Amino acid sequence: MTARIKIGIFFGGNSREREVSFAGGRTVYDNLDKTLFEPVPIFVDSFNNFILLDWHFIYKGSIRDFYPPVQFLPEAKIDVQVYAENIATAYADNGKTMATKIGKIIKVEGLKELIDFAFLALHGNFGEDGTLQGLLEWQGIPYSGSGILPSALGMNKRLQKEWMQAAGLPIPKYISLQKTALNEVRKAFNQAKKTVGLPFVIKPANQGSSVGVSVIQEENLETFELALQKAFFVQTIKAKEWSSKSKVEKVQWLQKITDVKEGVGLPAFVNQKLIHHPEELFKVLESQSKKGNEVSIESIYSETECLIESFIEGREFSCIVLRNEDGSAVALPPTEIVKGSEVYDYKSKYLPGRSRKITPIDLDEKGIQNIRKACAHLFNFFNFHVYARIDGFLSKDGQLFLNDPNTTSGMMPSSFFFHQAAEIGLNPSQFLTYIIRTSLKERVNSQSIHFKHAQLLESLNKLLSLNKSKKANKKRVAVLMGGYSTERHISVESGRNIYEKLASSDTYAPFPVFVTGNDEAHELFLLPINIMLKDNADDIKEKVMHYHRPAIMQKIADECKDLLAMYSQGGLFEPKKITYAELKKMSDAVFIALHGRPGEDGTVQKELNKLKIPFNGSDVASSQITINKFDTNALLKKKGFLVAEHYLVQENEWKEHADKIIAKIEKIGYPLIAKPADDGCSSAVKKIKNRAELENYASGVFRPALEISAELRSLLMLSEKEEFPKKRFFLVEKFVEKGKAQHFLEVTGGMLTSYKGNKLQYETFEPSETLAESEILSLEEKFLAGQGQNITPARYAKTPRLNQNISKKVQEVLKAGAKALGVEGYCRIDAFVRIYANNQIEVIFIEVNSLPGMTPATAIFHQCALNGYKPYEFIDKILQFGEERLRLKKGSKN
């Protein structure tokens, strides 16, 4: 049998898009077809070292969760996340000592002994600009995507515009500015107004993911100067501006300014002195503000050029163009981006529910074909290889503008990359196979010395042929996702992640099932792959309820028929409503990836039990308890566990006796935490500091209509897209603080159950320490790549031995709590830990999740990795437990 091809996945890097690259690399690692390929993770660090990464680090939520390693972090009084380049001592050996703690450093010449093919998931400088492509060609290693010249061209936005003009393609008015424009801001502003005209967009010339982008709407010199500084990654802060901030505000500002995604980033020249660490910057700001001096900050990774271009009022779209089997360029159906702000920013791109992607863009067939034709023309004109992502705008007067062609697309699970491929019938695993094989063909056709590449292509063709000839005997797994709680978008992310990990295995044949409805009744819908990969749960629901596939979509699929014949196994059909009885016939097991109701409260479990279908997670009784945080706390308190003092506020009681209820709550004492008792994912969790805030919270939860008025949204301090559930009850708890403890931290701990004979066994994982930018962990910090930080294992003490001893005690308490609640399968428990001078500990339970989030970056995957489980193996164990539980149930009745 032909051996699997070793695919080196290059991800990370030192660009400002490194977190997107890291998350994309993980997606590729997990979704490669394991029958064809052997993934080899090559992490590129801030110093451009190639590191054969120890596999368990791949499942960290962000790079900062593991690199720099904890032992290299200097003592700091301020909890601010740092990257490897913020450690000044690392420069002595170019970061090599640190790198050895996370894997093995690979010399360039050693790459060809380790991998057969390089899959490039890097973004920005060195990875996307032709540099790495040239290095790989020097070493004779075939790689994915475009070659050296088109890659270099795909990085420079000014050069792109000049070439697009040469191609006869319309482009918005623009000017380019060098960094010296910062010294002549008024002159630059006047030039922009005269040549481009208000409103306009300011963007760095060599960045992606909307990093450093601003929109200037009106004539304001100060606003323009700040936007210009943002594009060049420079900032000035005046003494009064700094000294007027509170300590909390100063730390929050420091977190943002030192974040490479949205701030200047460090190292930077601070008043012309090189500063590496955020705490150094903090000290300078403190000392200089006392002297009345302003502080100028300029990143060493600053831009040399920026563009100012017309703001196009109209519709924004993105289109993936592929190299078809016959060598022609074919554009996939373009996607319209519907957002709530002028700029499609980092959070809008990568956080579920923040924007909507509509595929195809809502135009007549002629309009869609015009976009596709223009994108394919640009692809050919720039001589791009394999694939590219081309963005554009359709102005209000119908004019088409193409913008920012990218030779490397983001590979997050929700990216256009997979979203559009699904519209012609390719799941993520199949699409990655397409890219590898087509890239091999491109290297064979474009490089003079290519005989080894041709041999590799022949091997892959044999493996593909062999796979097609096999009649797989795989377990059919229905993956339930969606629901109707405020957690529905995260549930879709979890479900897609489960589906994709199972789809690339040689054991399971998963299929997605969407759940929707309300507390009275819910429905199941069999989903085609293209609908599953829609942007969020609401988009999926709309497509399920009002399914319509435009004729143009079938025409595009027909254009790709040879490509689909090579890689796809079908998967496009109309969404179909199914019953549980039909689900029984279609599946061997069910994976419930639902959060909140109806999956986490025992409702779905009851139906599956009736039909004797094995499923993951806890059974009905335990689910009914853990869905309700008040009931969970009450039971734990009764069993002797520590929980925050709490009170359940019922709507009818509040409306009749609000004053009495407030009096009871105020005996607990402010500050309080108010939150839904049966929702998670940090939805509507608020710190309440006084009576007015409590009354506003109750007004929000008990509002008469589902819609939230602008006045109420303002009182609750909700962002534009933030949801706030309407409920019949909510929970208030005493805000848990450090007290007299020496050390205080928030942790989240996972566990897995199995059977030894008929006896239930609990395997606990090392809890993660959760770091939040503010007092409450946000949705972004939980689920957005590169946001927030989870340190695994948690840092309870300074010495490893003491840390391990405390960790064992914490795990024992969490396990005892899970047993008391009857949790089965797996779970995640959130808690506060107080550690006193005598190393005595207190574990205060926050909540228990019987169906924890299973998104790619979730903390439970970091934890199970330390116990030796890759995510797929962890999921496999969860499914096996469900089968064993059903077998034991059947046995007990016989």
Side-chain angles (χ1 to χ4, degrees), residues 808-874:
K808 284 182 179 178
K809 291 178 183 178
V810 171
Q811 288 178 63
E812 284 302 314
V813 175
L814 297 182
K815 180 166 72 172
K819 284 184 174 180
L821 292 164
V823 171
E824 295 178 342
Y826 64 119
C827 73
R828 192 196 78 227
I829 300 178
D830 300 336
F832 293 109
V833 178
R834 292 190 184 118
I835 303 164
Y836 293 91
N838 58 0
N839 291 324
Q840 290 299 305
I841 67 162
E842 289 180 345
V843 178
I844 304 102
F845 283 76
I846 302 172
E847 64 178 286
V848 178
N849 292 274
S850 62
L851 290 176
M854 299 289 271
T855 63
T858 193
I860 203 164
F861 287 139
H862 321 168
Q863 297 166 13
C864 72
L866 293 182
N867 281 33
Y869 300 116
K870 291 182 178 177
Y872 165 74
E873 294 164 345
F874 180 53

Side-chain angles (χ1 to χ4, degrees), residues 207 247 492 509 634 747:
Q207 298 291 331
K247 177 68 182 292
V492 166
V747 302

Side-chain angles (χ1 to χ4, degrees), residues 234-252:
V234 171
Q235 188 159 342
T236 300
I237 183 165
K238 294 178 171 60
K240 284 185 180 179
E241 185 185 350
W242 179 258
S243 57
S244 66
K245 297 179 187 291
S246 67
K247 177 68 182 292
V248 171
E249 288 172 334
K250 285 176 178 178
V251 172
Q252 290 175 344

Side-chain angles (χ1 to χ4, degrees), residues 522-579:
H522 66 274
E523 299 172 318
L524 310 180
F525 288 88
L526 191 63
L527 283 185
I529 185 70
N530 58 317
I531 305 298
M532 183 194 79
L533 286 180
K534 292 297 178 186
D535 192 56
N536 59 54
D538 293 345
D539 200 9
I540 293 173
K541 181 178 178 179
E542 193 274 330
K543 292 292 183 294
V544 161
M545 297 300 182
H546 309 285
Y547 181 77
H548 168 67
R549 183 168 171 81
I552 183 65
M553 302 296 271
Q554 188 56 50
K555 289 181 180 179
I556 296 171
D558 290 342
E559 289 177 38
C560 301
K561 64 179 185 301
D562 292 338
L563 185 156
L564 295 173
M566 175 63 68
Y567 305 101
S568 178
Q569 297 172 357
L572 291 180
F573 52 86
E574 184 171 342
K576 178 187 175 186
K577 185 177 176 181
I578 59 171
T579 64

Side-chain angles (χ1 to χ4, degrees), residues 683-832:
S683 175
V685 179
K686 299 287 181 183
K687 185 178 181 182
I688 305 295
K689 299 183 284 294
N690 52 54
R691 180 177 293 198
E693 290 183 358
L694 177 62
E695 290 173 338
N696 289 339
Y697 191 91
S699 296
V701 175
F702 301 145
R703 64 189 184 274
L706 188 61
E707 293 298 317
I708 307 175
S709 67
E711 181 184 2
L712 186 55
R713 187 170 284 277
S714 175
L715 288 172
L716 293 168
M717 293 182 287
L718 301 178
S719 63
E720 182 186 3
K721 292 282 186 178
E722 188 175 351
E723 289 191 291
F724 198 88
K726 181 181 180 297
K727 296 281 185 180
R728 293 191 294 270
F729 52 84
F730 69 90
L731 184 67
V732 291
E733 297 177 335
K734 179 65 180 171
F735 184 74
V736 179
E737 299 180 277
K738 183 176 181 180
K740 295 180 180 179
Q742 278 197 337
H743 190 38
F744 176 70
L745 65 164
E746 182 178 347
V747 302
T748 179
M751 59 190 75
L752 180 67
T753 70
S754 60
Y755 287 107
K756 189 174 183 180
N758 293 343
K759 189 176 180 183
L760 194 64
Q761 304 283 317
Y762 286 79
E763 178 183 359
T764 58
F765 301 147
E766 281 278 4
S768 303
E769 176 184 352
T770 301
L771 302 181
E773 289 187 0
S774 59
E775 293 171 302
I776 298 170
L777 194 66
S778 69
L779 181 70
E780 289 92 335
E781 289 172 305
K782 281 188 173 184
F783 299 108
L784 179 58
Q787 295 287 116
Q789 191 172 18
N790 286 289
I791 302 295
T792 312
R795 300 169 296 179
Y796 303 104
K798 291 183 178 180
T799 65
R801 185 174 179 182
L802 184 56
N803 201 72
Q804 190 175 29
N805 288 338
I806 294 173
S807 180
K808 284 182 179 178
K809 291 178 183 178
V810 171
Q811 288 178 63
E812 284 302 314
V813 175
L814 297 182
K815 180 166 72 172
K819 284 184 174 180
L821 292 164
V823 171
E824 295 178 342
Y826 64 119
C827 73
R828 192 196 78 227
I829 300 178
D830 300 336
F832 293 109

Side-chain angles (χ1 to χ4, degrees), residues 156-177:
N156 189 293
K157 293 179 173 61
R158 176 183 55 80
L159 198 56
Q160 288 173 2
K161 285 190 168 17
E162 291 176 1
W163 278 45
M164 288 165 75
Q165 279 181 314
L169 292 164
I171 61 170
K173 293 177 184 177
Y174 79 98
I175 59 171
S176 66
L177 295 177

